[in-house]
Amino acid sequence: MSEPNVPDDLAERYQRLQRYVGWNDDDVSRVLEVAPLVRRSFEELIEDFYATIETEPQAAKVITGGREQVARLKGTLCRWLEEMFQGPWSDDYAAARWRVGWRHVEIGLGSVFTAVAFSRLRHGLTRAIERKWSGDLSALQETLHSVHRLLDLELALIQDAYEDEYVARQRRSVKQRSEAAFRHLVEAAGSMIVILRLDQTIAYFNPYAEELTGYAASAVHGKRYVDLFLPERERLGVVAQLAANQAGQPTLGYENAIRCRDGSERSLVWNAQRLDDFEGTPAILAVGQNITDRKVAEERALQSERLAAIGQTVTGLAHESRNAFQRSQACLELLALELEDRPAELELVSRIQRALDHLHRLYEEVRDYAAPIKLDRQLCDLAHLWRDAWSHLEVNRAGKDVILQESVECVDLASHVDWFALGQVFRNIFENAIAACSEPGTIWVNCSEASLNGQPAISIQIRDSGTGIPIDARGRVFDAFFTTKTKGTGLGMAIARRIVEAHGGAIELGNQDKGAEFVIVLPRS
C-alpha cells in the first residue's frame, strides 16, 4: 500500500478526544514522572506481547519474515512505548500514532486482535507500575488513571485508522461493484460506447465499437477520437458538441458519420454527457446507435418513390408519344422512297431516323430503370450466360481487336438467377469495356468462391485493358444519369446495380491501377 493520507480533521478530533477522557496537564506530568519506572519493564512487556501472538494463528499469520521480522517488530514496539511515555502529545504526535494504527491495517492484523493485544499491554503496564511503585497509594491511583487515559487515546487513534480504512475499503468496494456493473452493461450493449478524456483522447472503447469500426480497443486507447474516426466534414460539429458536454450540457440525438478502419463510413445517432469521475478524472460518455441500415432503407424507400414517379411520368410520355413516333416513322419511310435518287437528302432522312431511334431507346431505358424489378429465377450456368451476352455484342465488336478471356477453374457456376436480367448486367459491363479498350484489347472474366453476409457466394470479376475510370468519377459510377461517354443515358450501371441487388448480391468497382474492374458477388442460394 502507499503512504496513508492522514485525515484533515484528525488534529481537531484528537483534541476533542483529549477533552472527552479528561486529559490535562496533570496527566502529562504524571506520565512523564512514571516513565523511568515503566521503561525498565519494556523488554519484559515486549517479550510477553510477541510470545502471546505466536500462540494465536490468526494473529501470527501476519508475521511472514521469521525471526528477523520479529526482531524488527520488537524494536518498533519499543520505540512506540518510548514515544508514548515521552510525548509531547501534540497534533503531530496524533498524526504519527494514527499512521502506526494504519500500519496494522496494512499488514492485515484484525482490529479484534489489536484490541486484545492492547488490553494485554495495558495489563502489563499496570502490573509493572504497581509492582515497582514506592510512593503514596492515592498517587498510584492518580498515575494509573493518567496512564489509562493515555492508553485510551492511543487505542482511539488506532481504531480511528481502522475505521477510516474500513470506510475507504467500503467505498472502493462499492465503486468496484459499480464499475463492474457498468462494464458488464456497456460491454454487452449493442451500441458504440466511447469514453473520452477532456482532451478528446479515448479512455474506453466497448466491444461493439471494436466490431463496428474494425479497431481493437488497445489500438485506439489514448488516441484522439476526432482525428481517428471523424471525416473532415463532421469535425467542427462534433467538436462543438464535445465542448458543450464538457460544460455540462448533454447531447441528445446528434447524428454524424464515423470512418471505420477499412475506410467505409457508418452513420450513428449519439447521446453524450459529462462524467465527473471516470478512473479519477472527468470524462465524456458517448453512446452511439448505428443507424446505417436504417438510413440505407430510408434512402431506398425514397429512391423507390422517385422511381415510381419517374416511371409514371415516362409511361405517360411514352403513351402520348407513341403515335407521334409511329407517324414520324411512316413519314420518314415515305420520304425515303421519294428520295431514293438523291443520296445527300437520303442521308439526312437516315440521320433523322437514327435520332428518333435514340430518343425511343432513351424512353425505354428510363422506363426500365424506374420499373419494379421482377425476377424469373432459374438454374443457370453463369459462364453460358455471360458468353451469350458477349455474343449479342458482335455489332459493338465489329472491326475491333478485342478478345474475352476466362478463368473459372474449380468453381461451380450453377446459380438460380434471372437469365435475361443478369444478361443485361453482363451486356452493360461488356459494352462499356469494349468501348474503353484500345486495340488490341482484352477483357478478363475471373471467378472465385466468396462469402456474402456470412453465406456462400460466387465472385465474378470483369476487368478490361482500357484506360480505367477517373478517380473523381469512381464514386458516381452507379449513379443514375451519370456517364463519361458522349452518348448514352447514364443508366446502364445504375440498372445493373438494381438487378444485382434484386438477386441479393452486390456489385462494386475493384481496385485496379490499369483498366476498370467490376466485381459482382451473387449468393449461392
Side-chain angles (χ1 to χ4, degrees):
M1 289 186 179
S2 58
E3 186 67 20
N5 294 318
V6 176
D8 294 336
D9 61 343
L10 180 64
E12 179 183 349
R13 281 154 47 191
Y14 183 59
Q15 292 168 11
R16 287 205 308 269
L17 287 171
Q18 286 179 323
R19 291 193 296 271
Y20 186 78
V21 300
W23 178 262
N24 55 38
D25 292 341
D26 291 336
D27 294 310
V28 171
S29 300
R30 295 186 192 106
V31 170
L32 290 174
E33 288 175 3
V34 80
L37 183 68
V38 177
R39 203 170 279 122
R40 294 196 295 270
S41 300
F42 282 175
E43 184 177 350
E44 178 184 351
L45 291 170
I46 292 169
E47 291 297 329
D48 174 74
F49 185 87
Y50 281 99
T52 304
I53 286 180
E54 291 177 359
T55 65
E56 175 50 58
Q58 287 296 318
K61 70 178 184 180
V62 301
I63 300 175
T64 58
R67 293 184 179 278
E68 291 183 0
Q69 182 184 6
V70 171
R72 289 195 304 273
L73 291 173
K74 287 180 178 180
T76 301
L77 180 56
C78 184
R79 287 192 297 276
W80 182 79
L81 289 168
E82 286 280 1
E83 291 168 359
M84 185 174 68
F85 280 92
Q86 176 179 312
W89 298 274
S90 60
D91 297 344
D92 290 339
Y93 173 88
R97 308 307 267 188
W98 189 92
R99 292 190 186 95
V100 170
W102 190 88
R103 294 299 178 196
H104 288 79
V105 180
E106 182 182 33
I107 64 175
L109 184 63
S111 60
V112 172
F113 292 106
T114 301
V116 171
F118 210 87
S119 176
R120 189 172 186 86
L121 196 60
R122 182 194 298 268
H123 178 72
L125 287 169
T126 301
R127 187 176 57 185
I129 294 172
E130 289 176 339
R131 190 171 63 244
K132 297 180 180 181
W133 186 265
S134 58
D136 184 80
L137 287 179
S138 61
L140 171 63
Q141 292 301 317
E142 291 294 334
T143 298
L144 288 175
H145 286 322
S146 295
V147 170
H148 288 319
R149 291 189 188 99
L150 179 59
L151 290 170
D152 289 340
L153 291 170
E154 292 285 330
L155 182 59
L157 288 172
I158 292 174
Q159 289 176 333
D160 187 86
Y162 268 101
E163 182 179 343
D164 189 83
E165 177 59 18
Y166 174 78
V167 171
R169 287 181 178 179
Q170 288 294 103
R171 288 174 179 168
R172 287 195 295 270
S173 177
V174 170
K175 183 178 180 181
Q176 288 169 358
R177 289 197 300 271
S178 176
E179 289 180 353
F182 169 77
R183 289 189 180 274
H184 178 75
L185 177 64
V186 300
E187 288 178 5
S191 301
M192 180 173 175
I193 299 179
V194 183
I195 297 179
L196 306 178
R197 299 296 181 197
L198 297 189
D199 62 359
Q200 299 175 9
T201 57
I202 298 171
Y204 177 77
F205 200 69
N206 78 327
Y208 182 88
E210 293 180 303
E211 179 183 349
L212 180 67
T213 66
Y215 285 100
S218 58
V220 303
H221 192 274
K223 294 185 178 179
R224 280 177 53 83
Y225 172 82
V226 171
D227 297 338
L228 188 60
F229 287 106
L230 294 184
E232 191 68 35
R233 67 181 186 277
E234 300 282 11
R235 296 187 179 182
L236 285 177
V238 173
V239 168
Q241 289 293 321
L242 293 175
N245 298 149
Q246 288 188 30
Q249 180 180 340
T251 292
L252 296 174
Y254 183 82
E255 184 178 326
N256 70 270
I258 62 167
R259 183 177 56 239
C260 299
R261 186 179 182 184
D262 61 4
S264 63
E265 293 188 3
R266 299 289 185 271
S267 296
L268 290 95
V269 60
W270 293 91
N271 293 338
Q273 67 178 38
R274 177 188 171 103
L275 299 176
D276 291 331
D277 180 14
F278 178 75
E279 296 179 348
T281 60
I284 296 172
L285 169 66
V287 180
Q289 187 68 35
N290 183 12
I291 59 170
T292 306
D293 292 342
R294 190 186 81 190
K295 285 182 70 68
V296 169
E298 290 173 350
E299 289 171 2
R300 285 179 177 171
L302 180 60
Q303 180 73 349
S304 295
E305 292 177 4
R306 289 173 177 170
L307 291 176
I310 293 172
Q312 291 174 359
T313 302
V314 171
T315 300
L317 286 171
H319 177 74
E320 295 296 329
S321 304
R322 186 174 291 111
N323 290 334
F325 276 123
Q326 291 173 348
R327 290 194 303 272
S328 299
Q329 184 71 30
C331 291
L332 286 172
E333 290 174 357
L334 291 173
L335 185 58
L337 292 174
E338 294 289 333
L339 299 173
E340 284 185 349
D341 57 344
R342 300 166 64 179
E345 287 79 359
L346 195 61
E347 174 59 25
L348 291 175
V349 172
S350 178
R351 290 174 65 182
I352 295 171
Q353 178 69 60
R354 288 196 298 271
L356 284 175
D357 289 342
H358 178 74
L359 184 59
H360 180 67
R361 181 183 176 188
L362 176 60
Y363 273 120
E364 292 299 317
E365 286 196 5
V366 174
R367 188 181 66 178
D368 289 344
Y369 175 68
I373 295 177
K374 296 180 180 180
L375 301 179
D376 180 17
R377 293 177 182 264
Q378 53 185 303
L379 186 62
C380 302
D381 185 303
L382 295 178
H384 290 169
L385 200 159
W386 74 61
R387 290 167 191 160
D388 181 71
W390 178 259
S391 70
H392 286 128
L393 296 172
E394 290 181 358
V395 174
N396 301 71
R397 291 184 281 120
K400 292 198 70 171
D401 183 10
V402 180
I403 62 172
L404 181 69
Q405 289 190 359
E406 302 174 355
S407 176
V408 294
E409 298 177 1
C410 303
V411 178
D412 180 7
L413 296 178
S415 182
H416 285 85
V417 298
D418 186 308
W419 177 277
F420 178 81
L422 198 59
Q424 185 178 354
V425 173
F426 287 126
R427 284 194 299 275
N428 285 337
I429 296 175
F430 287 152
E431 186 177 354
N432 291 336
I434 291 168
C437 284
S438 57
E439 298 185 61
T442 304
I443 299 172
W444 293 272
V445 179
N446 300 315
C447 294
S448 60
E449 298 291 344
S451 176
L452 183 64
N453 299 324
Q455 300 298 321
I458 305 170
S459 176
I460 306 163
Q461 304 100 42
I462 303 174
R463 179 168 58 91
D464 64 53
S465 59
T467 57
I469 299 173
I471 294 177
D472 58 350
R474 292 177 65 85
R476 302 181 59 195
V477 166
F478 297 102
D479 290 353
F481 306 108
F482 174 77
T483 181
T484 58
K485 296 185 293 186
T486 56
K487 295 181 180 180
T489 60
L491 289 172
M493 295 314 300
I495 294 172
R497 167 168 276 185
R498 291 192 66 215
I499 291 172
V500 172
E501 290 180 349
H503 280 83
I507 181 171
E508 59 184 16
L509 277 175
N511 297 317
Q512 289 295 324
D513 296 332
K514 295 181 179 180
E517 181 184 52
F518 287 89
V519 180
I520 302 170
V521 182
L522 296 171
R524 282 286 184 189
S525 56

